[in-house]
Short mmCIF file of all heavy atoms in Angstrom, two decimals:
data_model
loop_
_atom_site.label_atom_id
_atom_site.label_comp_id
_atom_site.label_asym_id
_atom_site.label_seq_id
_atom_site.Cartn_x
_atom_site.Cartn_y
_atom_site.Cartn_z
N ILE W 1 112.27 -37.26 -23.31
CA ILE W 1 112.57 -36.33 -22.22
C ILE W 1 112.31 -37.01 -20.87
O ILE W 1 113.11 -36.89 -19.92
CB ILE W 1 111.73 -35.05 -22.34
CG1 ILE W 1 112.33 -34.12 -23.38
CG2 ILE W 1 111.61 -34.32 -21.01
CD1 ILE W 1 113.58 -33.39 -22.92
N LEU W 2 111.20 -37.72 -20.78
CA LEU W 2 110.88 -38.42 -19.53
C LEU W 2 111.93 -39.49 -19.20
O LEU W 2 112.49 -39.51 -18.11
CB LEU W 2 109.51 -39.10 -19.65
CG LEU W 2 108.26 -38.30 -19.29
CD1 LEU W 2 107.03 -39.17 -19.50
CD2 LEU W 2 108.31 -37.79 -17.86
N THR W 3 112.17 -40.38 -20.14
CA THR W 3 113.00 -41.54 -19.83
C THR W 3 114.48 -41.24 -19.85
O THR W 3 115.23 -41.70 -18.97
CB THR W 3 112.69 -42.68 -20.82
OG1 THR W 3 112.87 -42.22 -22.16
CG2 THR W 3 111.26 -43.17 -20.64
N PHE W 4 114.94 -40.44 -20.82
CA PHE W 4 116.38 -40.14 -20.89
C PHE W 4 116.82 -39.31 -19.69
O PHE W 4 117.99 -39.33 -19.31
CB PHE W 4 116.72 -39.39 -22.18
CG PHE W 4 116.54 -40.21 -23.45
CD1 PHE W 4 116.04 -41.50 -23.41
CD2 PHE W 4 116.87 -39.68 -24.68
CE1 PHE W 4 115.86 -42.25 -24.57
CE2 PHE W 4 116.72 -40.41 -25.84
CZ PHE W 4 116.20 -41.70 -25.79
N SER W 5 115.89 -38.57 -19.08
CA SER W 5 116.22 -37.79 -17.89
C SER W 5 116.19 -38.65 -16.63
O SER W 5 116.53 -38.17 -15.55
CB SER W 5 115.21 -36.64 -17.72
OG SER W 5 113.93 -37.16 -17.39
N GLY W 6 115.77 -39.90 -16.79
CA GLY W 6 115.58 -40.75 -15.62
C GLY W 6 114.37 -40.33 -14.81
O GLY W 6 114.28 -40.59 -13.61
N LEU W 7 113.41 -39.65 -15.48
CA LEU W 7 112.23 -39.06 -14.83
C LEU W 7 112.64 -38.16 -13.69
O LEU W 7 111.99 -38.08 -12.66
CB LEU W 7 111.24 -40.14 -14.38
CG LEU W 7 110.54 -40.79 -15.56
CD1 LEU W 7 110.95 -42.23 -15.72
CD2 LEU W 7 109.03 -40.68 -15.43
N ASP W 8 113.76 -37.49 -13.91
CA ASP W 8 114.30 -36.58 -12.92
C ASP W 8 114.31 -35.16 -13.49
O ASP W 8 113.29 -34.70 -13.99
CB ASP W 8 115.70 -37.05 -12.51
CG ASP W 8 116.14 -36.50 -11.17
OD1 ASP W 8 115.54 -35.51 -10.72
OD2 ASP W 8 117.08 -37.06 -10.57
N SER W 9 115.44 -34.50 -13.47
CA SER W 9 115.51 -33.09 -13.86
C SER W 9 115.98 -32.90 -15.29
O SER W 9 116.79 -33.67 -15.81
CB SER W 9 116.44 -32.34 -12.91
OG SER W 9 115.95 -32.39 -11.59
N VAL W 10 115.48 -31.84 -15.91
CA VAL W 10 115.92 -31.39 -17.23
C VAL W 10 116.54 -30.01 -17.05
O VAL W 10 115.98 -29.15 -16.35
CB VAL W 10 114.75 -31.32 -18.22
CG1 VAL W 10 115.20 -30.75 -19.56
CG2 VAL W 10 114.13 -32.70 -18.41
N PHE W 11 117.69 -29.80 -17.66
CA PHE W 11 118.37 -28.50 -17.58
C PHE W 11 117.88 -27.64 -18.74
O PHE W 11 117.92 -28.06 -19.89
CB PHE W 11 119.89 -28.67 -17.67
CG PHE W 11 120.66 -27.50 -17.12
CD1 PHE W 11 121.02 -27.46 -15.79
CD2 PHE W 11 121.03 -26.44 -17.94
CE1 PHE W 11 121.73 -26.38 -15.27
CE2 PHE W 11 121.73 -25.35 -17.44
CZ PHE W 11 122.09 -25.33 -16.09
N TYR W 12 117.41 -26.43 -18.41
CA TYR W 12 116.83 -25.57 -19.44
C TYR W 12 117.76 -24.40 -19.74
O TYR W 12 118.20 -23.69 -18.83
CB TYR W 12 115.47 -25.03 -18.98
CG TYR W 12 114.65 -24.46 -20.12
CD1 TYR W 12 113.74 -25.25 -20.80
CD2 TYR W 12 114.81 -23.14 -20.53
CE1 TYR W 12 113.00 -24.74 -21.86
CE2 TYR W 12 114.08 -22.63 -21.59
CZ TYR W 12 113.18 -23.42 -22.24
OH TYR W 12 112.45 -22.93 -23.29
N LEU W 13 118.07 -24.21 -21.02
CA LEU W 13 118.94 -23.14 -21.47
C LEU W 13 118.13 -22.12 -22.28
O LEU W 13 117.59 -22.47 -23.34
CB LEU W 13 120.08 -23.69 -22.32
CG LEU W 13 121.13 -24.53 -21.57
CD1 LEU W 13 122.12 -25.15 -22.53
CD2 LEU W 13 121.86 -23.67 -20.56
N SER W 14 118.06 -20.90 -21.81
CA SER W 14 117.25 -19.88 -22.47
C SER W 14 118.08 -18.88 -23.27
O SER W 14 117.52 -18.05 -23.99
CB SER W 14 116.42 -19.11 -21.44
OG SER W 14 117.26 -18.50 -20.46
N ASP W 15 119.42 -18.95 -23.17
CA ASP W 15 120.27 -17.97 -23.83
C ASP W 15 120.69 -18.37 -25.24
O ASP W 15 121.43 -17.64 -25.90
CB ASP W 15 121.51 -17.68 -22.98
CG ASP W 15 121.16 -16.93 -21.71
OD1 ASP W 15 120.12 -16.23 -21.72
OD2 ASP W 15 121.88 -17.05 -20.71
N ALA W 16 120.28 -19.53 -25.69
CA ALA W 16 120.46 -19.95 -27.08
C ALA W 16 119.11 -20.45 -27.57
O ALA W 16 118.24 -20.78 -26.76
CB ALA W 16 121.52 -21.03 -27.20
N LYS W 17 118.95 -20.51 -28.87
CA LYS W 17 117.61 -20.81 -29.39
C LYS W 17 117.67 -21.77 -30.58
O LYS W 17 118.59 -21.72 -31.40
CB LYS W 17 116.92 -19.52 -29.82
CG LYS W 17 115.42 -19.66 -30.09
CD LYS W 17 114.79 -18.32 -30.38
CE LYS W 17 114.71 -17.44 -29.16
NZ LYS W 17 113.75 -17.94 -28.15
N VAL W 18 116.66 -22.62 -30.64
CA VAL W 18 116.44 -23.49 -31.80
C VAL W 18 115.18 -23.01 -32.50
O VAL W 18 114.18 -22.70 -31.85
CB VAL W 18 116.29 -24.97 -31.37
CG1 VAL W 18 116.01 -25.85 -32.58
CG2 VAL W 18 117.53 -25.44 -30.63
N THR W 19 115.24 -22.92 -33.81
CA THR W 19 114.06 -22.55 -34.59
C THR W 19 113.53 -23.79 -35.27
O THR W 19 114.23 -24.42 -36.07
CB THR W 19 114.39 -21.47 -35.63
OG1 THR W 19 114.86 -20.29 -34.94
CG2 THR W 19 113.17 -21.11 -36.45
N VAL W 20 112.31 -24.14 -34.93
CA VAL W 20 111.68 -25.36 -35.44
C VAL W 20 110.65 -24.97 -36.48
O VAL W 20 109.76 -24.16 -36.22
CB VAL W 20 111.02 -26.15 -34.29
CG1 VAL W 20 110.31 -27.39 -34.82
CG2 VAL W 20 112.05 -26.52 -33.22
N ARG W 21 110.77 -25.56 -37.66
CA ARG W 21 109.88 -25.18 -38.76
C ARG W 21 108.70 -26.14 -38.88
O ARG W 21 108.87 -27.36 -38.91
CB ARG W 21 110.65 -25.16 -40.08
CG ARG W 21 109.90 -24.44 -41.21
CD ARG W 21 110.68 -24.51 -42.50
NE ARG W 21 112.03 -24.00 -42.35
CZ ARG W 21 112.39 -22.73 -42.56
NH1 ARG W 21 111.48 -21.85 -42.91
NH2 ARG W 21 113.65 -22.35 -42.41
N MET W 22 107.53 -25.56 -38.95
CA MET W 22 106.30 -26.33 -39.20
C MET W 22 105.75 -25.92 -40.55
O MET W 22 105.28 -24.80 -40.71
CB MET W 22 105.27 -26.09 -38.09
CG MET W 22 104.00 -26.91 -38.25
SD MET W 22 102.80 -26.59 -36.93
CE MET W 22 103.66 -27.28 -35.52
N SER W 23 105.86 -26.81 -41.52
CA SER W 23 105.39 -26.50 -42.88
C SER W 23 104.57 -27.66 -43.41
O SER W 23 104.57 -28.76 -42.83
CB SER W 23 106.58 -26.23 -43.81
OG SER W 23 107.33 -27.41 -44.02
N THR W 24 103.89 -27.45 -44.51
CA THR W 24 103.07 -28.51 -45.08
C THR W 24 103.92 -29.67 -45.61
O THR W 24 103.41 -30.77 -45.82
CB THR W 24 102.21 -27.95 -46.23
OG1 THR W 24 103.06 -27.27 -47.17
CG2 THR W 24 101.17 -26.97 -45.70
N SER W 25 105.21 -29.42 -45.81
CA SER W 25 106.09 -30.49 -46.28
C SER W 25 106.68 -31.30 -45.14
O SER W 25 107.38 -32.28 -45.36
CB SER W 25 107.23 -29.91 -47.13
OG SER W 25 108.07 -29.08 -46.35
N SER W 26 106.40 -30.89 -43.90
CA SER W 26 106.91 -31.62 -42.74
C SER W 26 105.80 -32.47 -42.13
O SER W 26 104.61 -32.19 -42.32
CB SER W 26 107.45 -30.65 -41.68
OG SER W 26 106.40 -29.87 -41.13
N ILE W 27 106.19 -33.48 -41.38
CA ILE W 27 105.20 -34.33 -40.72
C ILE W 27 104.36 -33.52 -39.75
O ILE W 27 103.14 -33.69 -39.66
CB ILE W 27 105.90 -35.50 -40.01
CG1 ILE W 27 106.48 -36.48 -41.04
CG2 ILE W 27 104.94 -36.23 -39.08
CD1 ILE W 27 107.30 -37.60 -40.45
N SER W 28 105.00 -32.62 -39.02
CA SER W 28 104.28 -31.84 -38.02
C SER W 28 103.20 -30.95 -38.65
O SER W 28 102.16 -30.71 -38.04
CB SER W 28 105.25 -30.98 -37.22
OG SER W 28 105.99 -30.14 -38.08
N GLY W 29 103.43 -30.47 -39.88
CA GLY W 29 102.48 -29.58 -40.50
C GLY W 29 101.54 -30.22 -41.49
O GLY W 29 100.64 -29.57 -42.02
N ASP W 30 101.70 -31.52 -41.75
CA ASP W 30 100.87 -32.23 -42.73
C ASP W 30 99.60 -32.76 -42.06
O ASP W 30 99.63 -33.76 -41.34
CB ASP W 30 101.68 -33.39 -43.33
CG ASP W 30 101.00 -34.00 -44.54
OD1 ASP W 30 99.77 -33.82 -44.67
OD2 ASP W 30 101.68 -34.66 -45.34
N LEU W 31 98.50 -32.07 -42.29
CA LEU W 31 97.24 -32.44 -41.65
C LEU W 31 96.69 -33.78 -42.14
O LEU W 31 95.90 -34.42 -41.44
CB LEU W 31 96.20 -31.33 -41.87
CG LEU W 31 96.54 -29.97 -41.24
CD1 LEU W 31 95.46 -28.95 -41.58
CD2 LEU W 31 96.74 -30.08 -39.74
N SER W 32 97.10 -34.21 -43.32
CA SER W 32 96.60 -35.48 -43.86
C SER W 32 97.09 -36.68 -43.05
O SER W 32 96.55 -37.78 -43.15
CB SER W 32 97.00 -35.64 -45.32
OG SER W 32 98.41 -35.84 -45.44
N LEU W 33 98.13 -36.46 -42.26
CA LEU W 33 98.71 -37.54 -41.45
C LEU W 33 98.19 -37.53 -40.01
O LEU W 33 98.66 -38.31 -39.19
CB LEU W 33 100.24 -37.41 -41.43
CG LEU W 33 100.95 -37.40 -42.79
CD1 LEU W 33 102.44 -37.16 -42.59
CD2 LEU W 33 100.71 -38.71 -43.53
N GLN W 34 97.23 -36.65 -39.74
CA GLN W 34 96.84 -36.43 -38.35
C GLN W 34 96.35 -37.69 -37.64
O GLN W 34 96.67 -37.91 -36.46
CB GLN W 34 95.76 -35.35 -38.26
CG GLN W 34 95.54 -34.81 -36.86
CD GLN W 34 96.80 -34.21 -36.27
OE1 GLN W 34 97.46 -33.39 -36.90
NE2 GLN W 34 97.16 -34.62 -35.06
N SER W 35 95.57 -38.52 -38.33
CA SER W 35 95.03 -39.71 -37.66
C SER W 35 96.15 -40.67 -37.24
O SER W 35 96.11 -41.26 -36.16
CB SER W 35 94.03 -40.43 -38.57
OG SER W 35 94.66 -40.88 -39.76
N LYS W 36 97.17 -40.79 -38.09
CA LYS W 36 98.30 -41.67 -37.75
C LYS W 36 99.16 -41.05 -36.65
O LYS W 36 99.68 -41.76 -35.78
CB LYS W 36 99.14 -41.95 -38.99
CG LYS W 36 98.42 -42.82 -40.01
CD LYS W 36 99.29 -43.11 -41.22
CE LYS W 36 98.56 -43.99 -42.22
NZ LYS W 36 99.37 -44.27 -43.42
N LYS W 37 99.30 -39.73 -36.67
CA LYS W 37 100.03 -39.05 -35.61
C LYS W 37 99.29 -39.21 -34.27
O LYS W 37 99.91 -39.44 -33.23
CB LYS W 37 100.23 -37.58 -35.94
CG LYS W 37 101.20 -37.35 -37.11
CD LYS W 37 101.53 -35.89 -37.32
CE LYS W 37 100.38 -35.09 -37.85
NZ LYS W 37 100.76 -33.70 -38.22
N ASP W 38 97.97 -39.10 -34.32
CA ASP W 38 97.16 -39.27 -33.11
C ASP W 38 97.34 -40.67 -32.53
O ASP W 38 97.41 -40.85 -31.31
CB ASP W 38 95.69 -39.02 -33.40
CG ASP W 38 95.39 -37.55 -33.64
OD1 ASP W 38 96.23 -36.70 -33.30
OD2 ASP W 38 94.30 -37.26 -34.19
N LEU W 39 97.43 -41.67 -33.42
CA LEU W 39 97.64 -43.04 -32.96
C LEU W 39 99.01 -43.17 -32.29
O LEU W 39 99.14 -43.83 -31.25
CB LEU W 39 97.53 -44.01 -34.13
CG LEU W 39 97.81 -45.49 -33.80
CD1 LEU W 39 96.82 -46.01 -32.75
CD2 LEU W 39 97.74 -46.35 -35.06
N GLY W 40 100.03 -42.54 -32.88
CA GLY W 40 101.35 -42.58 -32.28
C GLY W 40 101.34 -41.98 -30.88
O GLY W 40 101.91 -42.55 -29.95
N TYR W 41 100.68 -40.84 -30.74
CA TYR W 41 100.61 -40.20 -29.43
C TYR W 41 99.83 -41.05 -28.44
O TYR W 41 100.17 -41.14 -27.25
CB TYR W 41 99.97 -38.82 -29.55
CG TYR W 41 100.27 -37.93 -28.37
CD1 TYR W 41 101.45 -37.22 -28.30
CD2 TYR W 41 99.38 -37.82 -27.31
CE1 TYR W 41 101.75 -36.42 -27.21
CE2 TYR W 41 99.66 -37.03 -26.21
CZ TYR W 41 100.85 -36.33 -26.17
OH TYR W 41 101.13 -35.55 -25.08
N HIS W 42 98.80 -41.72 -28.92
CA HIS W 42 98.00 -42.62 -28.10
C HIS W 42 98.87 -43.75 -27.53
O HIS W 42 98.78 -44.08 -26.34
CB HIS W 42 96.86 -43.19 -28.95
CG HIS W 42 96.06 -44.26 -28.29
ND1 HIS W 42 95.12 -44.00 -27.31
CD2 HIS W 42 96.05 -45.62 -28.47
CE1 HIS W 42 94.57 -45.14 -26.92
NE2 HIS W 42 95.11 -46.13 -27.60
N ILE W 43 99.72 -44.31 -28.37
CA ILE W 43 100.61 -45.39 -27.93
C ILE W 43 101.62 -44.86 -26.92
O ILE W 43 101.94 -45.52 -25.92
CB ILE W 43 101.31 -46.02 -29.14
CG1 ILE W 43 100.29 -46.70 -30.06
CG2 ILE W 43 102.36 -47.04 -28.69
CD1 ILE W 43 100.85 -47.12 -31.40
#
């Protein structure tokens, strides 16, 4: 979001929606991966 926008503006659309699923079978919901995810965010 930062770089692809050129660190400028992002256009926000509120009249359509994306539903993002967080489950134990996904990376976002798998707590066992947290240390590696934290490292990614650190980088």
Side-chain angles (χ1 to χ4, degrees):
I1 281 285
L2 272 180
T3 56
F4 293 3
S5 69
L7 289 112
D8 201 341
S9 298
V10 175
F11 201 90
Y12 196 93
L13 291 174
S14 59
D15 291 334
K17 193 175 289 291
V18 178
T19 299
V20 178
R21 194 183 305 269
M22 182 180 293
S23 68
T24 53
S25 65
S26 67
I27 290 174
S28 57
D30 191 339
L31 297 178
S32 69
L33 303 176
Q34 194 59 50
S35 62
K36 291 181 179 179
K37 291 187 290 187
D38 289 344
L39 177 60
Y41 199 83
H42 173 75
I43 296 169

